[in-house]
Amino acid sequence: YHYILNDFDKALKTYLMAEKISPSSLLATEKGDLFYSIGITATQLYFIEMAFKYTELALGIYQQEFIPKRIVECQLNLGVINTRSKNFNQSLIHLKIALTIGRKLDIEILKFTTEYNLGYVYFVNQNHELTITHMKSALESIPNEYTADKLWTYCFLIMSEYDLGNLDKAKAWAKDGQDIIDSKKLSLDSPTKDTFKVAFIEFMSLKHLIFENYSEFEYMIVTHLMPHLKNNNNFYEMGYFYNHLGNVYYKQGLFEKSASALKKSQNAYRNHIRIS
């Protein structure tokens, strides 16, 4: 209940209490479910060591009991944990295992989540071709109601195509994303979760960039996007958008602003590498 409400602190405390009072007669699969629940909750809270410990405990049980769906979920969570720890090579190993096993299961949300996370890791490693491949596959599996996740996926497709110099393709993805926004009549003022707002802000920022609406791009970046990225220590994304903001300033002849934005980009990338 607490997890569904995104109250991860209370959820984790409740799960840990459940572990403390669990009887020795508890079935292995039930113990695995409890360990997995602790693992994914710890992941949400960035408690990396705890997340690793309990996810691996759960994985060991699910492998012994041979429960493929849960094995995929554990491998996927280990991939996410390694991504958050900036251990991208290890993340790819777990995500590829999740993808291999998951392809044999007919569970759309697992397919989407695995493909999306693989795409993200490749994007951070600047392998834009593979980012595009996996993000396209993610779009084929994503449930219709996952609006924020769709927008995130379009964001990475736009960024990858734009960075490869494929402006027309980037604009085509932006149009597809805008169609979703228009059909649902969404805006910054829509009463939605914070996750959606960040996805919406990033998508609109990219749309303004590729269509050269530079004043709107600057406003979205400075006023809305950067505060969110800073709060979540998303240094790679900060570096990416500050770099493009610096280039926009340069095109406009605003050289001092350009130098300042590019320096911020450099510092953000440096922080990303230092944590990695």
Side-chain angles (χ1 to χ4, degrees):
Y1 174 76
H2 290 309
Y3 189 94
I4 290 170
L5 294 179
N6 292 332
D7 192 344
F8 301 120
D9 284 311
K10 285 185 179 178
L12 184 59
K13 288 176 183 176
T14 308
Y15 284 137
L16 291 172
M17 178 58 69
E19 181 195 18
K20 186 177 181 180
I21 64 174
S22 62
S24 58
S25 59
L26 196 67
L27 293 174
T29 52
E30 291 177 334
K31 188 176 288 187
D33 290 344
L34 178 56
F35 289 159
Y36 174 71
S37 297
I38 295 172
I40 61 172
T41 309
T43 302
Q44 294 286 357
L45 293 167
Y46 285 78
F47 295 165
I48 301 301
E49 289 185 10
M50 182 184 291
F52 269 123
K53 173 186 173 182
Y54 281 95
T55 305
E56 288 180 338
L57 285 171
L59 178 60
I61 292 172
Y62 293 138
Q63 286 175 329
Q64 188 172 354
E65 299 292 322
F66 190 66
I67 306 175
K69 176 178 179 291
R70 285 303 205 182
I71 292 172
V72 172
E73 289 172 334
C74 285
Q75 292 288 358
L76 180 55
N77 196 46
L78 288 169
V80 172
I81 295 166
N82 276 288
T83 298
R84 292 187 173 183
S85 303
K86 305 299 186 290
N87 298 319
F88 296 116
N89 289 335
Q90 195 64 33
S91 178
L92 284 174
I93 292 172
H94 288 293
L95 292 172
K96 286 177 179 178
I97 293 172
L99 188 63
T100 300
I101 301 172
R103 279 176 174 159
K104 301 174 184 177
L105 307 174
D106 190 23
I107 304 173
E108 294 294 288
I109 189 59
L110 278 183
K111 291 178 185 176
F112 161 73
T113 308
T114 307
E115 294 280 11
Y116 176 87
N117 278 282
L118 274 167
Y120 176 76
V121 174
Y122 283 123
F123 177 79
V124 172
N125 283 296
Q126 298 183 30
N127 190 330
H128 297 305
E129 289 85 359
L130 282 176
T131 298
I132 292 166
T133 297
H134 287 287
M135 288 300 177
K136 282 182 177 180
S137 296
L139 279 179
E140 294 173 1
S141 303
I142 187 170
N144 287 329
E145 64 271 18
Y146 283 63
T147 305
D149 294 298
K150 275 192 175 182
L151 287 180
W152 283 122
T153 307
Y154 283 124
C155 284
F156 286 109
L157 285 165
I158 292 167
M159 287 188 284
S160 296
E161 296 287 13
Y162 185 72
D163 288 352
L164 288 171
N166 302 326
L167 186 58
D168 289 340
K169 290 183 179 179
K171 288 181 177 180
W173 289 121
K175 182 183 180 302
D176 289 344
Q178 187 63 48
D179 288 343
I180 294 173
I181 291 171
D182 292 341
S183 67
K184 295 180 180 290
K185 298 180 180 178
L186 299 171
S187 71
L188 269 178
D189 299 323
S190 299
T192 54
K193 294 181 180 179
D194 189 62
T195 303
F196 166 77
K197 289 190 182 296
V198 179
F200 179 86
I201 291 165
E202 188 161 321
F203 175 82
M204 293 306 297
S205 299
L206 288 166
K207 182 186 171 187
H208 290 315
L209 173 65
I210 65 176
F211 284 97
E212 299 184 354
N213 302 321
Y214 292 146
S215 59
E216 291 89 345
F217 173 69
E218 178 188 21
Y219 173 77
M220 292 296 290
I221 294 293
V222 175
T223 307
H224 294 292
L225 183 58
M226 283 305 165
H228 284 288
L229 297 180
K230 288 176 182 176
N231 287 340
N232 292 289
N233 292 328
N234 291 334
F235 294 116
Y236 187 88
E237 288 86 347
M238 286 169 60
Y240 181 89
F241 282 100
Y242 268 134
N243 180 66
H244 281 300
L245 183 61
N247 291 336
V248 165
Y249 284 143
Y250 189 85
K251 289 179 182 178
Q252 296 174 319
L254 303 172
F255 301 120
E256 287 188 14
K257 280 189 170 184
S258 175
S260 176
L262 291 173
K263 185 175 181 180
K264 289 177 180 177
S265 172
Q266 202 173 48
N267 289 337
Y269 280 134
R270 190 177 294 117
N271 284 327
H272 170 77
I273 294 169
R274 184 179 299 123
I275 291 175
S276 302

